Amino acid sequence: MFNDFKLTDRDRPAYIQVKDYLKRLILRGALQENQKLPSTREMSTLLSVSRNTVIAAYTDLEEERLLYAVPGKGSYVAAVQSSVTDEELSWQTNWDSRINSYARKAVELDRMKHGIRAGRGFISFTSIAPDEELFDLENVRRAFMDRMAIEGNVLLNYGYAKGYKPLIEYLKRYMEQKGVDLEGKDLLITSGFTEGFDIVLSALGRTHGTVLCENPTHHTAIKNLKLNGFEITGIEMEDDGLNLQQLKQALSERAYDCAYLVPSYHNPTGIVTSPARRIAVMKLLAEHQIPVIEDGFNEELRYSSSHALPLMSLAGQGNGVIYLGSFSKVLFPGMRVGWVLADRELVSYLESIKRARNIHTSTLDQSVLYQYLHNGHLDKYLKKARSIYKRKFEWTRKCCEQFIPFAKVSGDGGLHLFLKFNPDFDTHLLLEACSEQGVVFTPGDMFYTDERGRNTMRIGFSRVSENDIERGLRIIGRTAAELLGKRL
Amino acid sequence: MFNDFKLTDRDRPAYIQVKDYLKRLILRGALQENQKLPSTREMSTLLSVSRNTVIAAYTDLEEERLLYAVPGKGSYVAAVQSSVTDEELSWQTNWDSRINSYARKAVELDRMKHGIRAGRGFISFTSIAPDEELFDLENVRRAFMDRMAIEGNVLLNYGYAKGYKPLIEYLKRYMEQKGVDLEGKDLLITSGFTEGFDIVLSALGRTHGTVLCENPTHHTAIKNLKLNGFEITGIEMEDDGLNLQQLKQALSERAYDCAYLVPSYHNPTGIVTSPARRIAVMKLLAEHQIPVIEDGFNEELRYSSSHALPLMSLAGQGNGVIYLGSFSKVLFPGMRVGWVLADRELVSYLESIKRARNIHTSTLDQSVLYQYLHNGHLDKYLKKARSIYKRKFEWTRKCCEQFIPFAKVSGDGGLHLFLKFNPDFDTHLLLEACSEQGVVFTPGDMFYTDERGRNTMRIGFSRVSENDIERGLRIIGRTAAELLGKRL
């Protein structure tokens, strides 16, 4: 006995490792009720640890009522319910038969569970997460220390469902800078864009059961729309945003509960809808009184196109637009912070749903983000990130044009480009062939609301080096040419 | 012009404040397209800031394409879509009519929106959040710095829906220490208990539409059960846990989709179900193959009673128990971290729902918590917290017995006690009268699954000083005596 103990972890206090070890023996029934333990001196020899370590472990175990001490005699194992159990209590159920259709759909639509796995050393264009090498760790550290010094106790205790007040105020000012009229509006902090979108959808009446959106569009949005029981009507994306003719047609044919739009650096096409087109789209939707869920995706990563206002700003004091914001793609996705800016009455409903779902978003995340923003680091970081991403963006674009000249490239900014081949080309076949050569990307059909898009693909470049961008796109181009029976 | 500028914030870089100011003027249309701005030298005089500050602000505004520079001439306002909008786009909708019944119910069941507000200087027994004065800030800081040094970049980028791997592994070992058999099980990290519970309920089939639970029970659980469309059958709590006769009766009358149980430091009664009763309850549920959602609430805050195993440990390799854990009440609720330990197949469904709802729980929170636990601070902190809370607990109990002798007190630990008056007493009337004297508590009926409990109340003591505990309970006792027409 006691000969299988080892100090396995240098960082973890030795007495806790001894305690954990003895606890396991007691709970397993290997040490039995009223059994006398070796003295602390003997035990320290048996386990090759100091006597003080054993004393500390015994004391803790007494406090947890797993041991009891008899003065002058030693330590004994207390009466403990052993985990060796009754067969009767150990029944099996088939969970699959106890699960509902929502859970089943969540798995079915979960791209991460059915996605492409990139092997080691692969060149992967599948991610559009920011490049973590750019992260501004020093200032995040500083923001954390600053905020902890100011109100550490407060940060670690419960906060408000609506969010951390200084951050709410900061984001309201930030949205005002984007030209938004805050009159009659309120702001709710969520754990990222996805949660904001899911909460909004969960609250909306399914009067008509259908939502309008761009086609293609953000696949997570498609998933959440479907999971929330909405049907989707996709309107084709042109080089400058929604096809107005199609939109008009769709609006005349039936009614919709809302529209979901990504006016800037649209995912996956990368298109920035022009100011004029924004107004035209908003006019049509206003005529039919269709509320808009605006996804402020990557609005901050402007490289080239001119300044454009969010749809929410165009609506002035109107309350028909729900704006979903997040710095995830620009700053730190690991901190799950996003926001919903919308009509005050609506936000009050959303706040109660947020509270029911997880009480509130991590105050630590919110306060560190707040302090980081407040200290003025977003602007500095954006400047740096923009210049690096812009170079990569232009390089990727150039490589696409050079190596894959038979595909149409779109994208004005953000962290990805979109390629469109001729209609009978199949990017799934291309992926299969490229993947054998160590290169993967995202086939575009997952972004489509209908069965189309098998001739498209998304190229995320944020986490690929310039060398690999060139190598990878060269391979994609050569392989596509082979499939097309072309000669480069 | 430019005479309303002020540097308002010492901590925020001056050039950003200048930039924000000019941006506002441009977007509002106060500065118009092609208008020449004062030179940097002139502007620095106008705004009373250094010239370098103005240069930095102009440079940023050029980068954001709000200004353009004409070499040798100066800086001009760029073509910017103004936020002065078209009346047509600014329509109003009545959100209340676009909201569904789920959102409406979320507001209706939202206790925070209809709760008791404690005025300034009140003695409030309503909270059962931990006392933030006890928080171990120094070691949280250290955990943050340690983890950031090891893998800061990783922490700030996207993580896995299932959770941060080192924390998952740690918690699995931790559950093993509680006697749980991990065979066939898996663990999902959630943003606190509430999210875990909500996700589990959202996944369960409503084959029978009803859930069994203790009566009274945790009011957030009642809310989430109702929000998820379940009916509730409450089984009376006795001094030692569920009334077995009632449970048997209920099980013979109809079928249930699952049971929700809080075996340790039950909220609100504070009762710890004895080992024997745990086995008896589990046997009855196993006979009827009713899965159990076990709420590990405050299991760590043991003051007096002997060691008892979680229900999940009793089930051995059986897969009928879903364990929901959290350190929120013990450590830091501001960090929203909890976990679900359950059958592997079931967790795979829950993982996809978690991903659909908010991608994953904050990696920052998870990693800081992991490092804190790994460094061995939980045990040390618990020791300290337990001794302080225990003293408060005993003091509160003593005061209750002395000042409110006509109420039955229950509670073996945790951060609250539960009082039960004779059946026709109304704690809402008591609350009203006490609140006029600056003392508030939580009437007990909100914890009941039926219309009962108006003669009960919960006393949370964690955040009340010993002096105030005495003062407050004296007032409650005196006021109750008056209502009862008794003389103390």
Side-chain angles (χ1 to χ4, degrees):
Chain A
M1 195 129 208
F2 307 121
N3 54 8
D4 59 341
F5 174 79
K6 258 196 208 106
L7 280 174
T8 49
D9 202 324
R10 282 192 322 140
D11 306 336
R12 197 165 161 82
Y15 86 93
I16 292 182
Q17 297 190 52
V18 170
K19 180 178 116 182
D20 287 351
Y21 171 73
L22 293 174
K23 197 167 170 181
R24 214 155 34 227
L25 293 179
I26 296 169
L27 289 178
R28 275 204 205 129
L31 288 168
Q32 291 185 338
E33 193 176 335
N34 299 325
Q35 183 175 333
K36 185 173 183 299
L37 283 190
S39 71
T40 51
R41 194 181 301 276
E42 285 161 359
M43 190 63 109
S44 83
T45 314
L46 284 166
L47 303 184
S48 310
V49 295
S50 80
R51 194 175 161 207
N52 278 338
T53 297
V54 177
I55 293 173
Y58 278 20
T59 310
D60 264 27
L61 289 167
E62 277 166 31
E63 205 157 299
E64 293 191 26
R65 289 163 201 276
L66 291 164
L67 295 184
Y68 63 94
V70 178
K73 291 192 117 180
S75 293
Y76 294 79
V77 177
V80 170
Q81 190 176 20
S82 143
S83 63
V84 179
T85 57
D86 228 310
E87 276 304 301
E88 277 176 86
L89 304 186
S90 167
W91 60 285
Q92 296 289 331
T93 186
N94 174 15
W95 278 106
D96 204 58
S97 69
R98 292 183 183 263
I99 281 303
N100 62 24
S101 60
Y102 169 77
R104 242 176 270 285
K105 240 201 253 176
V107 170
E108 186 192 310
L109 298 172
D110 188 343
R111 288 283 161 184
M112 294 297 283
K113 285 207 168 137
H114 315 289
I116 325 119
R117 299 255 175 266
R120 239 173 222 286
F122 269 45
I123 299 176
S124 171
F125 294 108
T126 57
S127 172
I128 58 167
D131 179 4
E132 53 203 39
E133 294 301 317
L134 292 181
F135 288 165
D136 183 15
L137 290 188
E138 198 36 51
N139 285 317
V140 171
R141 263 194 216 103
R142 185 158 307 144
F144 172 85
M145 296 308 271
D146 285 358
R147 210 63 215 165
M148 281 296 275
I150 296 169
E151 47 171 1
N153 290 323
V154 173
L155 302 186
L156 296 181
N157 218 332
Y158 280 114
Y160 299 97
K162 223 158 118 181
Y164 179 62
K165 282 176 184 172
L167 182 62
I168 293 178
E169 285 314 307
Y170 186 96
L171 290 173
K172 281 186 178 170
R173 295 292 87 70
Y174 181 76
M175 293 306 294
E176 246 179 350
Q177 294 277 7
K178 289 177 182 277
V180 170
D181 188 327
L182 294 175
E183 183 66 30
K185 301 194 177 70
D186 207 351
L187 195 144
L188 171 76
I189 305 281
T190 59
S191 301
F193 160 81
T194 306
E195 183 174 276
F197 190 56
D198 197 54
I199 287 179
V200 167
L201 293 181
S202 78
L204 287 185
R206 284 114 178 100
T207 317
H208 313 294
T210 309
V211 170
L212 271 175
C213 66
E214 291 125 350
N215 189 22
T217 194
H218 185 21
H219 61 290
T220 297
I222 296 178
K223 173 172 83 173
N224 285 42
L225 284 165
K226 286 184 179 170
L227 267 178
N228 279 281
F230 286 102
E231 281 179 45
I232 301 172
T233 299
I235 307 290
E236 206 174 318
M237 277 300 271
E238 296 179 339
D239 290 351
D240 183 26
L242 282 185
N243 178 316
L244 291 175
Q245 213 40 52
Q246 262 193 37
L247 177 61
K248 212 176 274 177
Q249 181 69 24
L251 287 168
S252 71
E253 279 168 4
R254 50 161 307 167
Y256 301 89
D257 290 318
C258 70
Y260 162 71
L261 300 175
V262 194
S264 294
Y265 309 111
H266 177 259
N267 186 5
T269 66
I271 288 167
V272 179
T273 300
S274 69
R277 182 71 61 102
R278 286 175 193 230
I279 289 175
V281 168
M282 287 295 281
K283 267 199 182 142
L284 282 172
L285 294 172
E287 262 170 41
H288 294 80
Q289 307 238 323
I290 313 275
V292 176
I293 302 174
E294 174 175 21
D295 181 347
F297 185 71
N298 272 350
E299 210 161 73
E300 281 69 23
L301 281 184
R302 207 176 300 115
Y303 307 145
S304 49
S305 47
S306 63
H307 197 273
L309 288 178
L311 304 179
M312 183 174 245
S313 307
L314 300 178
Q317 295 201 358
N319 70 352
V321 180
I322 300 166
Y323 184 96
L324 299 179
S326 151
F327 294 122
S328 288
K329 288 289 181 299
V330 196
L331 285 173
F332 320 115
M335 289 189 193
R336 306 296 310 140
V337 181
W339 67 95
V340 182
L341 180 62
D343 174 74
R344 186 174 292 148
E345 190 182 8
L346 175 62
V347 168
S348 167
Y349 283 108
L350 304 179
E351 178 193 355
S352 285
I353 297 176
K354 168 73 182 168
R355 186 176 284 119
R357 292 206 168 173
N358 50 34
I359 310 194
H360 61 73
T361 291
S362 158
T363 315
L364 191 64
D365 281 20
Q366 292 184 72
S367 62
V368 172
L369 180 61
Y370 163 71
Q371 191 69 42
Y372 184 89
L373 295 169
H374 176 83
N375 290 353
H377 296 308
L378 173 67
D379 290 72
K380 287 187 216 158
Y381 176 73
L382 270 182
K383 208 185 281 190
K384 177 177 139 202
R386 230 185 259 136
S387 85
I388 291 173
Y389 286 138
K390 185 181 180 194
R391 209 175 60 212
K392 270 197 183 179
F393 164 79
E394 283 166 355
W395 178 244
T396 309
R397 202 171 169 111
K398 199 175 144 250
C399 289
C400 282
E401 282 160 359
Q402 184 179 347
F403 303 128
I404 323 174
F406 28 83
K408 190 191 160 199
V409 186
S410 68
D412 299 313
L415 304 174
H416 64 273
L417 285 169
F418 195 65
L419 300 186
K420 202 172 206 162
F421 291 82
N422 59 46
D424 52 352
F425 190 81
D426 187 344
T427 54
H428 282 265
L429 291 180
L430 178 61
L431 175 61
E432 212 173 287
C434 289
S435 151
E436 280 166 17
Q437 300 166 75
V439 179
V440 292
F441 54 82
T442 312
D445 55 334
M446 67 188 274
F447 302 102
Y448 278 78
T449 60
D450 41 26
E451 302 294 303
R452 299 182 307 140
R454 278 188 81 95
N455 61 326
T456 65
M457 58 191 268
R458 189 182 71 179
I459 294 288
F461 56 77
S462 49
R463 298 170 82 179
V464 190
S465 71
E466 296 188 22
N467 259 343
D468 278 356
I469 289 173
E470 180 175 350
R471 278 212 303 143
L473 292 177
R474 204 187 275 271
I475 289 171
I476 293 174
R478 200 178 51 219
T479 313
E482 281 162 17
L483 287 174
L484 285 161
K486 283 194 181 159
R487 254 206 156 138
L488 272 190
Chain B
M1 196 125 210
F2 308 121
N3 53 7
D4 58 343
F5 175 78
K6 257 196 208 107
L7 280 174
T8 49
D9 202 323
R10 283 192 321 142
D11 307 335
R12 197 164 161 82
Y15 87 92
I16 291 181
Q17 296 189 53
V18 170
K19 180 178 118 183
D20 287 351
Y21 170 74
L22 294 174
K23 196 167 170 181
R24 214 157 32 230
L25 293 178
I26 295 169
L27 289 178
R28 275 205 203 129
L31 287 168
Q32 292 184 337
E33 194 175 333
N34 300 324
Q35 183 176 333
K36 187 175 182 299
L37 284 189
S39 72
T40 51
R41 193 181 303 275
E42 285 161 359
M43 189 63 109
S44 84
T45 314
L46 283 166
L47 303 184
S48 309
V49 294
S50 79
R51 195 176 161 208
N52 278 338
T53 297
V54 177
I55 292 174
Y58 278 20
T59 310
D60 265 28
L61 288 167
E62 276 166 32
E63 205 158 298
E64 292 191 26
R65 289 162 202 278
L66 291 165
L67 294 184
Y68 62 93
V70 177
K73 292 190 115 179
S75 293
Y76 293 80
V77 177
V80 169
Q81 190 175 21
S82 144
S83 64
V84 178
T85 57
D86 228 309
E87 276 303 301
E88 277 176 87
L89 304 186
S90 167
W91 59 285
Q92 296 288 332
T93 185
N94 173 14
W95 278 105
D96 204 58
S97 70
R98 291 184 183 262
I99 282 302
N100 63 23
S101 59
Y102 170 77
R104 243 176 268 286
K105 239 201 253 176
V107 170
E108 185 193 311
L109 298 172
D110 189 344
R111 289 280 161 184
M112 294 297 283
K113 283 205 169 140
H114 314 290
I116 325 120
R117 298 255 175 265
R120 238 172 224 288
F122 269 44
I123 299 176
S124 171
F125 294 107
T126 57
S127 172
I128 57 167
D131 180 5
E132 54 203 38
E133 294 301 317
L134 293 181
F135 287 165
D136 183 16
L137 289 188
E138 197 37 51
N139 285 317
V140 172
R141 263 195 215 104
R142 184 157 310 144
F144 172 85
M145 296 309 270
D146 284 359
R147 209 63 215 164
M148 282 296 276
I150 297 168
E151 47 171 0
N153 291 323
V154 174
L155 302 185
L156 296 181
N157 218 332
Y158 280 113
Y160 299 96
K162 223 157 117 179
Y164 179 63
K165 282 176 183 172
L167 182 62
I168 293 177
E169 285 314 307
Y170 186 97
L171 291 173
K172 280 186 178 170
R173 296 291 88 69
Y174 181 76
M175 293 305 294
E176 245 179 350
Q177 295 278 5
K178 288 177 183 275
V180 170
D181 188 326
L182 294 176
E183 183 65 32
K185 301 193 176 72
D186 207 350
L187 196 143
L188 172 76
I189 305 280
T190 59
S191 301
F193 159 82
T194 307
E195 182 174 277
F197 190 56
D198 197 55
I199 286 179
V200 167
L201 293 181
S202 78
L204 286 185
R206 284 116 179 98
T207 316
H208 314 293
T210 309
V211 171
L212 272 175
C213 67
E214 291 125 349
N215 189 22
T217 194
H218 185 21
H219 61 289
T220 297
I222 295 178
K223 174 172 83 172
N224 285 44
L225 284 166
K226 286 184 178 169
L227 268 178
N228 279 281
F230 286 102
E231 281 181 44
I232 301 172
T233 299
I235 307 291
E236 207 175 316
M237 276 301 270
E238 296 179 340
D239 290 351
D240 184 26
L242 281 184
N243 178 317
L244 292 175
Q245 214 39 52
Q246 263 194 36
L247 177 60
K248 213 174 274 178
Q249 181 69 23
L251 288 168
S252 71
E253 280 169 3
R254 51 161 305 168
Y256 302 89
D257 289 319
C258 69
Y260 162 71
L261 300 175
V262 194
S264 294
Y265 308 111
H266 177 258
N267 187 5
T269 66
I271 288 167
V272 179
T273 300
S274 69
R277 184 71 61 103
R278 286 176 193 229
I279 289 174
V281 168
M282 288 295 281
K283 267 198 183 142
L284 282 173
L285 294 172
E287 264 170 39
H288 294 80
Q289 307 240 322
I290 313 276
V292 176
I293 302 175
E294 174 175 19
D295 181 346
F297 185 71
N298 272 350
E299 210 160 73
E300 281 69 24
L301 281 184
R302 206 177 301 115
Y303 307 144
S304 49
S305 47
S306 62
H307 197 272
L309 289 178
L311 305 179
M312 184 174 243
S313 308
L314 301 177
Q317 296 201 359
N319 70 353
V321 180
I322 300 166
Y323 184 96
L324 299 179
S326 151
F327 294 122
S328 288
K329 289 290 182 299
V330 195
L331 284 174
F332 320 115
M335 289 189 193
R336 308 295 310 139
V337 182
W339 67 94
V340 182
L341 180 62
D343 173 74
R344 185 173 294 146
E345 192 183 6
L346 174 62
V347 168
S348 167
Y349 282 108
L350 305 179
E351 178 194 355
S352 285
I353 297 175
K354 169 73 182 168
R355 186 176 285 119
R357 292 208 169 170
N358 50 34
I359 309 194
H360 61 71
T361 292
S362 158
T363 315
L364 192 63
D365 280 20
Q366 292 185 72
S367 62
V368 172
L369 179 62
Y370 163 70
Q371 191 69 41
Y372 184 88
L373 295 170
H374 177 83
N375 290 353
H377 296 308
L378 173 67
D379 289 73
K380 287 185 217 160
Y381 176 73
L382 270 182
K383 210 184 280 190
K384 177 178 140 201
R386 230 186 258 136
S387 85
I388 291 173
Y389 286 138
K390 187 183 178 191
R391 209 176 60 212
K392 269 197 182 180
F393 165 79
E394 284 166 354
W395 178 245
T396 309
R397 207 177 163 106
K398 198 174 146 250
C399 289
C400 282
E401 283 159 0
Q402 184 179 348
F403 303 128
I404 323 174
F406 27 84
K408 190 190 158 198
V409 186
S410 68
D412 299 312
L415 304 174
H416 64 273
L417 285 168
F418 194 64
L419 300 186
K420 202 171 206 164
F421 291 83
N422 59 47
D424 51 353
F425 189 82
D426 186 343
T427 54
H428 282 266
L429 290 179
L430 178 62
L431 175 61
E432 212 173 285
C434 288
S435 150
E436 280 167 16
Q437 300 165 76
V439 180
V440 292
F441 54 82
T442 311
D445 55 334
M446 67 187 275
F447 301 102
Y448 277 77
T449 60
D450 41 25
E451 302 294 302
R452 299 181 307 140
R454 278 189 81 98
N455 61 326
T456 64
M457 58 192 268
R458 189 182 71 180
I459 295 287
F461 56 76
S462 49
R463 298 171 83 178
V464 191
S465 72
E466 296 188 21
N467 259 342
D468 278 356
I469 289 172
E470 180 176 349
R471 278 210 306 141
L473 292 177
R474 204 186 273 274
I475 289 171
I476 292 174
R478 199 178 51 219
T479 313
E482 281 162 18
L483 288 174
L484 286 162
K486 283 193 181 160
R487 252 206 158 138
L488 270 190

